[in-house]
Amino acid sequence: MTDLIIAIVLCVAVAIAYAAAALIQARYAHLTVLELVRVPVLWLAIGLNGLGAALHVTSLNFGPLSLIQPLGVLTLVIAVPLAAVTAHRKATRLELTGMANTVIGLAGLALLVTTTGKPDTLTSAELTMLILATVAVVVVLGLLGRRPGASTLWEAIAGGLAFSVCSALCQTVVVRVGDTGAGALAWPSTIFAMISIATFAVVATVLTQRSYRNGLSAPLAVTNLVNPASATLIGVALLGEELATTNLEIAFAVVCAVLSGYGVAQLARARDAAAALPAPPAREPVGTSA
C-alpha cells in the first residue's frame, strides 16, 4: 500500500512539473529559437521537463505501468485551469468540458490498450529505419504547421511523435546496456541512437513550444494523445510487444479515441473563441488628465 501511495504522489508531482513547464513555454511560444535561448526562465521549463521525466521513471519502481500511464492525463487537468488563472480569467465551460472528455478518453485508452512481452531492442536496421522515417514525418508535419494560418496542432502531433521515438530509442539503449554491459555504449548503432535521442528531444521541445503560440490546451491534449499512441504502435511493430486487448476492449478503445478527439476539438474551439474576444482596454495611468 505504501508503494502505491508513493507512485500516486510521484505521478502528481510529474503532472505538476510538466504542467508548469508547459505554461512557461506557452508564454514565450511566439519567440524564435534564437530568441528563446536567451530567455533564462525557459531553461527552468527545460529543467522541469527533465525533472518530470526523472520522476516518471522513478514512479515505475513503485507502481505498475497500468496505473502510471493513465495518471499522465493529470498534466492536462492541472494545466488547463492554471492557464486560465495565469490569464486572469475563469476556465470556460467549453474548456472544462473539452478537458473532461479528453482526459476520460485518454485514461480509457491507457487502461484498455496494453501490451505484453519482454522488453526488446531495435536491431540496427530497425533503428535506422525508425529514425529516418521519424525525421521525414516530423519534417513534413513541421512544415505543415509553418504554413500561414495553419493549425498549431500539426506541430503538436510532430512533437508527440518525436517524444515517443525518444522513449523507444531510450529503451533500446537501456536494455542493450543491461544485457551486454557498458561496452554497448561504444557500438556505432548505440552512439547513433544516443545522438538521435538528444536531437529528437530538442526538436520535440521546440515543436511543442511553437504549438502553444495560439493557446495551450488543445496542443497539450494532442501531444498527450499522440505520444502514448505512437509509442504503443512502435512497441507492437518493432519491439516485439503484443496487444493484450480483447475485441471488446478494442471496441471500447475506439470509443475512447473518438471521445478524446472530440475533447481536443472542443479545446480548439475554446481557444479560438478566447482569441476572438476583444482585448481589454488599456488603463489610463494614474494622475494623468483628460
Side-chain angles (χ1 to χ4, degrees), residues 85-162:
V85 169
T86 55
H88 307 289
R89 62 175 179 83
K90 292 182 179 180
T92 66
R93 183 176 180 179
L94 187 58
E95 282 178 316
L96 294 176
T97 304
M99 179 188 70
N101 287 332
T102 305
V103 166
I104 292 171
L106 283 171
L109 282 171
L111 288 169
L112 292 168
V113 183
T114 57
T115 58
T116 60
K118 182 180 180 295
D120 199 358
T121 62
L122 296 165
T123 64
S124 296
E126 290 173 338
L127 187 146
T128 302
M129 179 186 68
L130 176 62
I131 290 173
L132 293 178
T134 302
V135 169
V137 174
V138 167
V139 166
V140 169
L141 292 172
L143 290 175
L144 287 173
R146 293 185 68 87
R147 294 175 303 164
S151 171
T152 59
L153 298 185
W154 290 113
E155 289 155 318
I157 295 171
L161 176 60

Side-chain angles (χ1 to χ4, degrees), residues 137 217 222 282:
V137 174
S217 304
V222 168

Side-chain angles (χ1 to χ4, degrees), residues 65-66 110-121 171 231-246 249:
L65 184 61
S66 59
L111 288 169
L112 292 168
V113 183
T114 57
T115 58
T116 60
K118 182 180 180 295
D120 199 358
T121 62
Q171 176 175 314
T232 299
L233 181 61
I234 292 170
V236 171
L238 298 176
L239 294 175
E241 298 178 3
E242 296 180 358
L243 283 176
T245 309
T246 65
E249 288 172 334

